[in-house]
Amino acid sequence: MADAANGRAGGDVRSIFPQIYFRLKAELLEDPAFDFTDEGRQWINRMLDYNVPGGKLNRGISVIDSYKLLKGYELSDDEVFLACALGWCIEWFQAYFLVLDDIMDNSHTRRGQLCWFRVDKVGLIAANDGIILRNHIPRILKRHFREKPYYVDLLDLFNEVEFQTASGQMLDLITTHEGEQDLSKYTITVYHHIVQYKTAYYSFYLPVACALLMSGENLDNFVDVKNILVEMGTYFQVQDDYLDCFGDPQAIGKIGTDIEDFKCSWLVVQAMALVNESQKKILTGNYGKSDPACVAKVKSIYKDLNLQNVFFEYERLSYLQLISSIEGLPSKAVQEVLKSFLHKIYKRQK
């Protein structure tokens, strides 16, 4: 099972992890449940390479990093392979949601290239490709984890997090209906609800939960850990929203468009809670418009309200609260896992 990682258990995870992708892809292209034509195999091969491995891979690699900290010893080749396989399941999961999300949002680019549905001869075939991406996950799990005592728990975990993420996406979509755009709906309660379900569960809780299951733990005993990770995911999204407006495009790799896209951003939620009547009129009259002059007026309101300092204070207090919660956990190994997550994202610039 561990051929791809053979002799490399002690090596750099970032060099091992991409190798496992090619192993898993090759297995899926020969899946006995489907009689592939050459054309079908070529399509899946191209679709996977375009959508799965192109991101930062932080979610997937976090499974291996977390598992190593939980076990506290040098992992065997087999353990490295299995942790990598679970990490890639999360990257497949991410690709599935991004492919469909881009269709729903009518987006143009993703990870520095055209969205998959905008690629020549793809179009709405991308909707079916999203379904295929999601169905690859149980294929990988069945092939490599079926004999493990935590196999059913893994299936349940992915199903549960998928439901939570899809529900968060629904909240996001119905809150920003075209033609029904109303900034008064953008409250901190609505914001937290969207972020918690759309982002925090799959980006922060899912990798650690996979590592805990591999370690033989019962997730019912780690509700406090889940809550901390969801809070961390919320903090991460607030950072994202801040960087979308105030970050350096060279550093973050994109030009932010949350204002133009009428996003339920942390910044506009804070602004709506702080504006006076004249500022509110300017904000509601210009938010969600692509005209650079309108965007400049919104940013001017943000600066007048000193939202950069509001964010810095939020960041400081969030960090202190997260550290306090983490240090209250009984397991030192779990504390190390969560602190490693937090230190990767604290005061990030991209």
Short mmCIF file of all heavy atoms in Angstrom, two decimals, residues 11 23-24 47 103 115 127 137 146 153 176 179 198 204 242 271 275 306-307 332 349:
data_model
loop_
_atom_site.label_atom_id
_atom_site.label_comp_id
_atom_site.label_asym_id
_atom_site.label_seq_id
_atom_site.Cartn_x
_atom_site.Cartn_y
_atom_site.Cartn_z
N GLY A 11 10.73 11.98 5.52
CA GLY A 11 11.05 13.06 4.60
C GLY A 11 10.10 14.24 4.73
O GLY A 11 9.22 14.27 5.58
N ARG A 23 -0.64 8.63 -7.44
CA ARG A 23 -1.00 7.25 -7.12
C ARG A 23 -2.53 7.10 -7.04
O ARG A 23 -3.12 6.20 -7.63
CB ARG A 23 -0.34 6.85 -5.80
CG ARG A 23 -0.92 5.63 -5.10
CD ARG A 23 -0.49 4.32 -5.73
NE ARG A 23 -1.13 3.20 -5.05
CZ ARG A 23 -0.66 2.59 -3.95
NH1 ARG A 23 0.46 3.04 -3.39
NH2 ARG A 23 -1.29 1.58 -3.43
N LEU A 24 -3.16 8.02 -6.31
CA LEU A 24 -4.62 7.95 -6.14
C LEU A 24 -5.33 8.19 -7.48
O LEU A 24 -6.31 7.52 -7.80
CB LEU A 24 -5.07 8.98 -5.10
CG LEU A 24 -4.55 8.77 -3.68
CD1 LEU A 24 -4.94 9.95 -2.79
CD2 LEU A 24 -5.07 7.46 -3.08
N MET A 47 -9.47 16.77 -16.01
CA MET A 47 -10.32 17.45 -15.04
C MET A 47 -9.69 17.44 -13.65
O MET A 47 -9.67 18.45 -12.93
CB MET A 47 -11.70 16.80 -15.02
CG MET A 47 -12.72 17.49 -14.13
SD MET A 47 -12.74 16.87 -12.42
CE MET A 47 -13.52 15.27 -12.64
N ILE A 103 -19.57 28.01 -10.63
CA ILE A 103 -20.75 28.06 -11.51
C ILE A 103 -21.83 28.92 -10.86
O ILE A 103 -22.42 29.80 -11.50
CB ILE A 103 -21.30 26.63 -11.79
CG1 ILE A 103 -20.26 25.79 -12.54
CG2 ILE A 103 -22.61 26.71 -12.59
CD1 ILE A 103 -20.63 24.32 -12.66
N CYS A 115 -11.92 29.55 -14.46
CA CYS A 115 -12.75 28.56 -13.76
C CYS A 115 -13.01 27.39 -14.72
O CYS A 115 -13.14 27.59 -15.93
CB CYS A 115 -14.07 29.17 -13.32
SG CYS A 115 -13.89 30.49 -12.11
N ALA A 127 -20.70 20.76 -13.90
CA ALA A 127 -21.60 20.39 -12.80
C ALA A 127 -21.51 18.89 -12.52
O ALA A 127 -21.44 18.45 -11.37
CB ALA A 127 -23.03 20.78 -13.14
N ILE A 137 -14.24 10.47 -3.48
CA ILE A 137 -13.81 10.38 -2.07
C ILE A 137 -14.16 9.02 -1.45
O ILE A 137 -13.27 8.34 -0.93
CB ILE A 137 -14.37 11.55 -1.25
CG1 ILE A 137 -13.79 12.87 -1.78
CG2 ILE A 137 -14.04 11.39 0.24
CD1 ILE A 137 -14.48 14.12 -1.26
N ARG A 146 -11.13 0.47 4.15
CA ARG A 146 -12.28 -0.40 4.43
C ARG A 146 -12.03 -1.33 5.61
O ARG A 146 -12.96 -1.65 6.36
CB ARG A 146 -12.62 -1.21 3.18
CG ARG A 146 -13.86 -2.07 3.31
CD ARG A 146 -14.28 -2.66 1.98
NE ARG A 146 -13.13 -3.05 1.17
CZ ARG A 146 -13.24 -3.56 -0.05
NH1 ARG A 146 -14.42 -3.71 -0.60
NH2 ARG A 146 -12.17 -3.90 -0.73
N ASP A 153 -16.69 5.74 10.53
CA ASP A 153 -16.61 7.09 11.11
C ASP A 153 -16.08 8.10 10.10
O ASP A 153 -16.51 9.25 10.07
CB ASP A 153 -15.71 7.08 12.35
CG ASP A 153 -16.31 6.27 13.49
OD1 ASP A 153 -17.53 6.38 13.70
OD2 ASP A 153 -15.57 5.52 14.14
N THR A 176 -27.49 36.89 -0.56
CA THR A 176 -26.99 37.84 -1.57
C THR A 176 -27.74 37.71 -2.90
O THR A 176 -27.17 37.93 -3.96
CB THR A 176 -25.48 37.62 -1.81
OG1 THR A 176 -25.27 36.25 -2.22
CG2 THR A 176 -24.68 37.88 -0.56
N GLY A 179 -30.92 41.39 -7.10
CA GLY A 179 -32.20 42.10 -7.11
C GLY A 179 -32.81 42.25 -5.73
O GLY A 179 -33.77 42.97 -5.56
N LYS A 198 -19.93 27.39 5.97
CA LYS A 198 -19.39 27.33 4.61
C LYS A 198 -17.89 27.06 4.59
O LYS A 198 -17.39 26.45 3.66
CB LYS A 198 -19.70 28.65 3.88
CG LYS A 198 -19.26 28.63 2.42
CD LYS A 198 -19.59 29.92 1.70
CE LYS A 198 -19.03 29.89 0.28
NZ LYS A 198 -19.31 31.11 -0.48
N PHE A 204 -10.97 23.69 8.77
CA PHE A 204 -10.24 23.59 10.02
C PHE A 204 -10.58 22.32 10.81
O PHE A 204 -9.68 21.62 11.27
CB PHE A 204 -10.49 24.84 10.87
CG PHE A 204 -9.69 26.02 10.39
CD1 PHE A 204 -10.11 26.75 9.29
CD2 PHE A 204 -8.50 26.37 10.99
CE1 PHE A 204 -9.36 27.81 8.81
CE2 PHE A 204 -7.73 27.42 10.52
CZ PHE A 204 -8.16 28.14 9.43
N TYR A 242 -10.54 40.99 5.54
CA TYR A 242 -9.70 42.17 5.76
C TYR A 242 -8.67 42.30 4.63
O TYR A 242 -8.50 43.38 4.05
CB TYR A 242 -9.00 42.08 7.11
CG TYR A 242 -7.95 43.15 7.32
CD1 TYR A 242 -8.32 44.43 7.71
CD2 TYR A 242 -6.61 42.88 7.08
CE1 TYR A 242 -7.35 45.43 7.87
CE2 TYR A 242 -5.65 43.87 7.23
CZ TYR A 242 -6.02 45.14 7.62
OH TYR A 242 -5.08 46.12 7.76
N ALA A 271 -18.97 47.87 9.42
CA ALA A 271 -19.33 49.22 8.98
C ALA A 271 -20.80 49.53 9.25
O ALA A 271 -21.14 50.61 9.76
CB ALA A 271 -19.01 49.39 7.49
N VAL A 275 -21.78 53.00 11.25
CA VAL A 275 -22.03 54.19 10.42
C VAL A 275 -23.08 55.12 11.03
O VAL A 275 -23.99 54.68 11.73
CB VAL A 275 -22.50 53.81 8.99
CG1 VAL A 275 -21.36 53.28 8.17
CG2 VAL A 275 -23.69 52.85 9.03
N ASN A 306 -12.22 53.75 10.70
CA ASN A 306 -11.01 53.17 11.29
C ASN A 306 -11.10 51.65 11.40
O ASN A 306 -10.70 51.04 12.41
CB ASN A 306 -10.78 53.78 12.69
CG ASN A 306 -9.30 53.79 13.06
OD1 ASN A 306 -8.45 53.48 12.23
ND2 ASN A 306 -9.02 54.14 14.30
N LEU A 307 -11.63 51.00 10.35
CA LEU A 307 -11.85 49.55 10.40
C LEU A 307 -10.55 48.76 10.45
O LEU A 307 -10.54 47.61 10.93
CB LEU A 307 -12.69 49.09 9.21
CG LEU A 307 -14.17 49.47 9.24
CD1 LEU A 307 -14.94 48.74 8.15
CD2 LEU A 307 -14.82 49.22 10.60
N LYS A 332 -2.04 17.42 25.92
CA LYS A 332 -0.95 18.28 25.45
C LYS A 332 -0.73 18.10 23.95
O LYS A 332 -0.42 19.06 23.24
CB LYS A 332 0.35 17.94 26.21
CG LYS A 332 0.34 18.36 27.66
CD LYS A 332 0.35 19.88 27.80
CE LYS A 332 0.38 20.31 29.26
NZ LYS A 332 0.19 21.77 29.41
N GLN A 349 -0.28 37.52 6.06
CA GLN A 349 -0.42 38.61 5.09
C GLN A 349 -0.96 38.14 3.74
O GLN A 349 -1.06 38.91 2.79
CB GLN A 349 0.95 39.29 4.87
CG GLN A 349 1.51 39.93 6.14
CD GLN A 349 0.61 41.01 6.71
OE1 GLN A 349 0.14 41.88 5.97
NE2 GLN A 349 0.33 40.93 8.00
#
